[in-house]
Amino acid sequence: MSAKVFAISNQKGGTGKTTLSMNFAAGLARRGRTLVVDADPQGSAGQWAGLASDERPFPVSVISLGGSLAREINRFREDYQYIVIDCPPTLETDVTRLALSVSDAVLIPVLPSPIDLWASIRIADAIEQAQMSNPKLEAFLVINQLEPRSALSRAMQQALAEFEIISLNNVLRRRAVYRTSAIEGASVYCMGKRGESAAQEIDAIIEEISQ
Amino acid sequence: MNQNVASKLANSVRQAKETQVTDKAATAEKPVATAKSEEAPRPALLTSRRVWPD
């Protein structure tokens, strides 16, 4: 077994990297043994899992790694089927570069707002750079916090075509359950009826990138 | 209306990309500062007029 490694990255803060990392990892954990690597110095993924109760632990182990990330991930590859790296909100760090160098795919959450789109443009360069040393690296844009009634949200797919990175057809809508699940140290899969639609969104994203 | 928003958003992304390319080119062409350039005469404004109060 050699784990498939996913980096969740965007140099813009607040785009939902940790929310996507944790729920994506929880979805993957239903398919195989999964590990989350918290590579963000803010440590949000670790905090999230730390809020889980003893009765209902977060379904995925979370470890913090920095400069030794590439070496450690290669060590874990044989023990897990999936590894998800929650990257720091910057491209100007060795940690992000290392994460992209060992990943099979990078998911880039983007918010349906012009400012977030402008700030996300440089990620394409970073991925191009990473692909020179890691040609297998695939990249996918994931629209996060979509509001179907908003004209801006509906305009996103056309705008994302400018990025020259594949934009997933499946998106994450703006839902309170993504935030409340963090408070409870849970994934949307454990939020009962409230989390059903969100869990379907995560599953759809996993299915789409698995094709 | 919605098509208008979509076009504006796509155009804004295109412009941001072009600005980035221009910025990169400008950075690449920017001459490296040398001792000689540091010795160049200071602009008249700075030498002949006091622009900040003490």
Side-chain angles (χ1 to χ4, degrees):
Chain A
M1 180 166 68
S2 182
K4 184 151 189 174
V5 182
F6 297 95
I8 313 295
S9 180
N10 191 332
Q11 83 259 28
K12 177 82 171 65
T15 59
K17 285 185 290 296
T18 303
T19 302
L20 179 59
S21 294
M22 297 301 270
N23 287 296
F24 183 66
L28 290 173
R30 297 157 75 90
R31 293 156 173 83
R33 194 157 185 246
T34 304
L35 174 73
V36 169
V37 172
D38 189 354
D40 184 347
Q42 291 174 45
S44 305
Q47 285 175 357
W48 186 318
L51 287 172
S53 63
D54 291 340
E55 297 76 42
R56 194 180 62 181
F58 195 79
V60 179
S61 298
V62 179
I63 60 163
S64 292
L65 289 177
S68 61
L69 187 138
R71 189 176 64 240
E72 294 294 323
I73 282 181
N74 284 330
R75 201 163 63 83
F76 284 122
R77 270 186 194 272
E78 297 307 313
D79 300 327
Y80 290 89
Q81 201 164 343
Y82 304 105
I83 297 175
V84 178
I85 310 171
D86 187 18
C87 292
T90 171
L91 301 172
E92 314 299 333
T93 167
D94 284 345
V95 174
T96 303
R97 282 189 281 269
L98 286 171
L100 296 180
S101 74
V102 295
S103 293
D104 297 285
V106 52
L107 304 190
I108 307 146
V110 288
L111 300 183
S113 110
I115 295 160
D116 280 84
L117 284 181
W118 303 334
S120 300
I121 282 169
R122 287 181 52 230
I123 191 91
D125 278 350
I127 287 162
E128 204 175 309
Q129 288 279 324
Q131 282 169 332
M132 288 181 192
S133 61
N134 179 16
K136 71 172 191 290
L137 180 69
E138 294 181 285
F140 303 101
L141 294 162
V142 184
I143 302 174
N144 185 26
Q145 297 190 19
L146 184 97
E147 295 171 291
R149 291 182 186 172
S150 144
L152 262 181
S153 282
R154 287 200 296 269
M156 278 294 281
Q157 291 291 4
Q158 185 178 332
L160 290 180
E162 298 294 330
F163 275 74
E164 295 159 6
I165 297 175
I166 295 168
S167 174
L168 294 183
N169 294 320
N170 289 288
V171 303
L172 303 181
R173 288 198 187 186
R174 186 177 177 85
R175 298 182 191 279
V177 71
Y178 283 115
R179 294 183 290 276
T180 51
S181 62
I183 300 167
E184 297 189 22
S187 73
V188 291
Y189 292 91
C190 299
M191 299 297 286
K193 196 90 180 150
R194 284 181 296 163
E196 268 180 16
S197 298
Q200 284 168 8
E201 289 173 353
I202 299 291
D203 279 334
I205 284 172
I206 291 171
E207 293 303 319
E208 187 174 351
I209 62 172
S210 300
Q211 285 168 6
Chain B
M1 178 67 180
N2 290 343
Q3 188 54 43
N4 194 22
V5 172
S7 300
K8 281 183 178 173
L9 187 60
N11 281 337
S12 75
V13 173
R14 212 170 294 133
Q15 277 181 12
K17 271 172 67 181
E18 284 164 9
T19 305
Q20 187 199 349
V21 171
T22 309
D23 287 350
K24 269 172 40 183
T27 306
E29 287 169 13
K30 195 174 177 180
V32 177
T34 61
K36 196 173 178 183
S37 66
E38 284 166 11
E39 288 163 7
R42 299 173 73 193
L45 180 65
L46 294 179
T47 52
S48 62
R49 282 181 58 195
R50 185 185 293 274
V51 292
W52 296 104
D54 287 333

